[in-house]
Amino acid sequence: MASDTEISDFLKSVEKKAFKRAYYHVGDEEGALDIVQDSMIKLCTHYSDKPAPELPLLFQRILSNTVLDWFRRRKTRNALFSNLDDFDHRDDLGDFDLLEVTTGAADAPASQSAEQWLGRVQTLEHIEKAIMSLPARQREAFLLRYWEELDVAETAAVMGCSEGSVKTHCSRAIQSLSKTLAQQGMKP
Amino acid sequence: MKNFQTSATATTADMDLWGRTLAAQLDVASQDLGHDIGERLRVARQMALKTRPIPQRLLRHSLALQANGTLSGPPDEGLNLWRILASALPLLALVSSLMFIQAIQQDLAETDIASLDSALLLDELPPDAYTDPGFVQFLKIQLHQNARHD
């Protein structure tokens, strides 16, 4: 059984990635924070008796299910209130907001020129937007397989599908990302 | 950068390598979340840790400490023969003490009766004389005369 310290350290080590992963799915910071918090609470409430080595895969599974729950809740809410404003967050995919970029200017290394740093941030933004524009299952497979560095079997277990489906999703995701980024002249 | 849609010879290994290279750049994005998001994640983590149920063994320990403070017995931890025997010891000591006292008192009473019996039997006057009405009358007269002389 994982101790308090082990669980705390584990959550601390995954919380930022989990937030970004949720953000890539839902495109909303508030929603992503809610998803990460719900996932942490579910892990602590229901699975804290599990040994520490099992926590990473369990948490990935919980996070995936919580993202699905978030979409289900939003779908229900939209059906009830017909709030079309929720679709607006996807409209800014082509925009570039200099103010958002400059908020992290203090973190830029001194040896790096402003132009280089801005170029790197823009590249990262294009990559993130390309990932966010992927279909949900392809995005999930890509992030789990390559960002969370799970193997095909683990990714299949988290996504609840076959290993063949994971390979297909990953292949299509990479082809789509490659095409999108190539059109923008991006090099990873 | 390779364009895998146009490259028919792209292998799975190439695609995996490309995917990992691309995903590695996301690490930068996940580290620069800003102070506000970092703090909210910290608070979320602490809230989640508070919801963790207390392990059963710790709960038992804390209850035992409370029981010690209130002089009530420890919580039931199942059938423990030694614990049952230990709790029955004071009762056994009380019962055995009462039985010992009763035996001593009985011995004392028997000793008194035996000494009285032996005194009667060793006296020159036989015990049957006390049942004779004439002897009893004689004793009364003797007692009255002694009283007058005094």
Side-chain angles (χ1 to χ4, degrees), chain B residues 105-127:
Chain B
Q105 284 183 338
Q106 196 169 356
D107 280 349
L108 286 174
E110 284 173 358
T111 307
D112 288 345
I113 292 170
S115 61
L116 186 62
D117 285 346
S118 61
L120 285 173
L121 290 171
L122 291 174
D123 196 358
E124 292 177 355
L125 195 66

Side-chain angles (χ1 to χ4, degrees), chain B:
Chain B
M1 181 182 64
K2 285 183 179 179
N3 185 339
F4 290 104
Q5 197 164 38
T6 56
S7 171
T9 58
T11 63
T12 306
D14 289 336
M15 287 176 30
D16 285 349
L17 180 63
W18 192 87
R20 286 195 187 93
T21 307
L22 190 65
Q25 300 200 30
L26 298 178
D27 287 337
V28 180
S30 69
Q31 294 308 314
D32 294 336
L33 291 181
H35 180 72
D36 179 46
I37 298 292
E39 279 300 296
R40 292 175 73 176
L41 286 172
R42 185 183 62 78
V43 171
R45 170 166 32 95
Q46 288 174 344
M47 282 178 64
L49 288 170
K50 282 179 187 171
T51 64
R52 191 183 183 206
I54 302 168
Q56 196 64 24
R57 57 186 170 80
L58 293 179
L59 192 64
R60 279 182 184 170
H61 180 63
S62 66
L63 286 176
L65 290 175
Q66 288 171 6
N68 290 338
T70 56
L71 294 179
S72 58
D76 184 20
E77 293 183 354
L79 185 62
N80 187 335
L81 185 60
W82 291 111
R83 193 175 292 276
I84 292 170
L85 286 175
S87 61
L89 273 179
L91 185 64
L92 287 173
L94 177 66
V95 170
S96 58
S97 300
L98 288 173
M99 288 174 70
F100 179 69
I101 290 168
Q102 188 190 13
I104 288 175
Q105 284 183 338
Q106 196 169 356
D107 280 349
L108 286 174
E110 284 173 358
T111 307
D112 288 345
I113 292 170
S115 61
L116 186 62
D117 285 346
S118 61
L120 285 173
L121 290 171
L122 291 174
D123 196 358
E124 292 177 355
L125 195 66
D128 292 340
Y130 291 96
T131 60
D132 182 19
F135 184 68
V136 171
Q137 189 64 31
F138 170 75
L139 286 177
K140 284 180 180 175
I141 290 168
Q142 287 293 321
L143 283 172
H144 282 295
Q145 284 178 352
N146 289 337
R148 280 178 190 169
H149 286 299
D150 294 336

Side-chain angles (χ1 to χ4, degrees), chain A residues 9-106:
Chain A
D9 290 345
F10 166 73
L11 290 178
K12 196 173 182 180
S13 69
V14 297
E15 64 189 12
K16 288 181 177 175
K17 261 191 172 183
F19 168 76
K20 286 302 283 188
R21 200 178 127 205
Y23 178 75
Y24 292 147
H25 284 298
V26 302
D28 172 30
E29 283 191 352
E30 295 298 323
L33 282 168
D34 287 345
I35 288 168
V36 174
Q37 182 171 351
D38 286 351
S39 302
M40 287 176 170
I41 288 173
K42 284 176 187 171
L43 183 81
C44 290
T45 308
H46 303 296
Y47 300 101
S48 59
D49 57 336
K50 299 286 182 186
E54 289 183 21
L55 294 180
L57 208 58
L58 267 172
F59 185 72
Q60 298 302 339
R61 184 83 188 246
I62 292 169
L63 190 67
S64 295
N65 289 336
T66 312
V67 168
L68 287 177
D69 290 342
W70 187 89
F71 279 111
R72 286 192 196 107
R73 279 201 303 271
R74 198 181 70 157
K75 189 177 176 183
T76 308
R77 192 185 63 192
N78 287 345
L80 285 172
F81 301 108
S82 300
N83 187 358
L84 297 177
D85 290 339
D86 289 344
F87 296 101
D88 285 348
H89 68 277
R90 291 289 185 191
D91 295 338
D92 61 350
L93 288 179
D95 294 340
F96 174 70
D97 187 352
L98 187 61
L99 287 176
E100 287 181 5
V101 172
T102 52
T103 52

